[in-house]
Amino acid sequence: MSSPSTSRRVALLTLGCARNEVDSEELAGRLTSGGWDLVDTGAEADGGAEDADVIVVNTCGFVEGAKKDSIDMLLAASDTGAKVVAVGCFAERYGKELADQLPEASAVLGFDHYPDLAARLDDVVAGRSVESHTPVDRRTLLPITPVRRPQAADNLSVPGHGWLPTNVQRRRLDNAPVAALKIASGCDRRCTFCAIPSFRGAFVSRTAEEILGEAAWLAQNGAREVFLVSENSTSYGKDLGDVRALEALLPRLAAVPGIDRVRVSYLQPAETRPGLVKAIATTPGVADYFDLSFQHSSESVLRRMRRFGSTESFLDLVKQIRALSPSAGIRTNVIVGFPGETEEDLAELERFLTEAQLDAVGVFGYSDEDGTEAEHLADKVDPDVVGERVHRVSQLVDELIAQRAEDRVGDEVVVLIEHEETEEMHCSGRAAHQAPEVDGECVVHEPEGLKIGDLVRCRVIAAEGVDLVVEQIEVLPRSGT
């Protein structure tokens, strides 16, 4: 390995959600601007990492499994012989505690280190001590009143914010035709099972001009679809004085030259207003796709979660969506085995799922999470029972989403090609009702000359579980050409 005086090579590994992926591309931009050369490691800690002086691991700290994955990745990175630096949610959440328990990491840095990360890596390779991050509840760093936050946030490091259209501090880490675009960070909700607000902070929106500028930059750098991410997209604009800001932003994003599809994620059902439903369901260039965080449908369980809604109100929302767009994609996640959940509660959830006929559902079993209110709730469900309920609901979901996919046979869909046909892989992509990685894909039957980034009008000819088999009709031109 070359000496620090002659080599500044860094590998960047990312765990967790699309928001973390955006943060990694910000870090990549900051590091290259600071004189560091990026080493491509692919998806593995040891893939090419022998060429790196430092491996930066952007960790996830959401649930226990994600924490374990983060530790495993940090340990694997240290096995390469490179210096290892932990950043991201796990590092932000635990800071010095993680550093004490993981001596393999040369530094554990929080979000406030991001602006000067290049300099901190210089310290690491030079053998200078870097003080580990000291965690705080990041909700306390901004005013309680949302409209007072925009100026206050200027003095706080909020990953993904502050990029100007003329100077985007971001470097794409792949050549995929879809790219995540952060519209806000943080969350003001107090769900009893979730610790994210404590380490991601209070809700802060990015300005429309900043988002539009980054969308244009992404289009210039190969993206045809932008995937809007945040902790809670339905809150977008409340700190800018306009709770309908997202409704106004969507058509402007769809009009950006080169962007053919805009997708919204992370919607809170209780905050999803009719105007936003209409904007997503009917605006040309916006995917009629609804990523709705139902979590459960029993009123008693939802109240214990500090959430709002019911089976009937959620079914009404589904009906609103399908009245405007019958083919709209709707996905959700649900938690089973939450403290106090009864068999009647579970049956209510099953009734909702059966009647809603959603396109994709993630089923998760409840487990205690550090620092959450639910950790201290009474009437915990036995872990074995939780496992049984996960299996039961998962079986139901598999049947329901397979039937929903089967119902699309004969429909036309527009598919964004993401994988060319090879010996190992079919030519495939995603239709408007399918988000990256989580909602299945469209496999093109006997493709003719298709390449990654093509947008293709297709007809659905079969369904295989949640996946669709399609035949191509025509390749569509890129917007603005």
Side-chain angles (χ1 to χ4, degrees), residues 138 394 472:
R138 290 186 73 84
S394 295
Q472 69 187 80

Side-chain angles (χ1 to χ4, degrees), residues 358-388:
L358 307 178
D359 292 87
V361 181
V363 182
F364 299 91
Y366 172 82
S367 61
D368 286 337
E369 184 61 28
D370 292 345
T372 62
E373 186 178 344
E375 183 182 14
H376 306 290
L377 290 177
D379 302 322
K380 295 287 174 64
V381 179
D382 183 272
D384 290 339
V385 176
V386 174
E388 292 168 1

Side-chain angles (χ1 to χ4, degrees), residues 95 164 171 239 439:
L164 300 176
R171 173 169 170 169
D239 50 330
D439 296 338

Side-chain angles (χ1 to χ4, degrees), residues 2 54 59 64 102 140 173 197 209 270 275 330 414 418 441 445:
S2 302
V54 182
T59 61
E64 200 61 38
L102 197 73
T140 64
L173 295 175
E209 290 68 26
I330 308 175
V414 175
E418 295 180 82
E441 62 179 2
H445 176 67

Side-chain angles (χ1 to χ4, degrees), residues 30-44:
R30 290 186 181 279
L31 290 170
T32 53
S33 295
W36 282 81
D37 295 324
L38 282 179
V39 175
D40 182 11
T41 61
E44 302 298 331

Side-chain angles (χ1 to χ4, degrees), residues 132-153:
S132 295
H133 163 65
T134 301
V136 296
D137 187 333
R138 290 186 73 84
R139 290 171 294 191
T140 64
L141 303 181
L142 287 170
I144 293 176
T145 306
V147 294
R148 294 180 56 201
R149 291 178 190 158
Q151 289 184 334

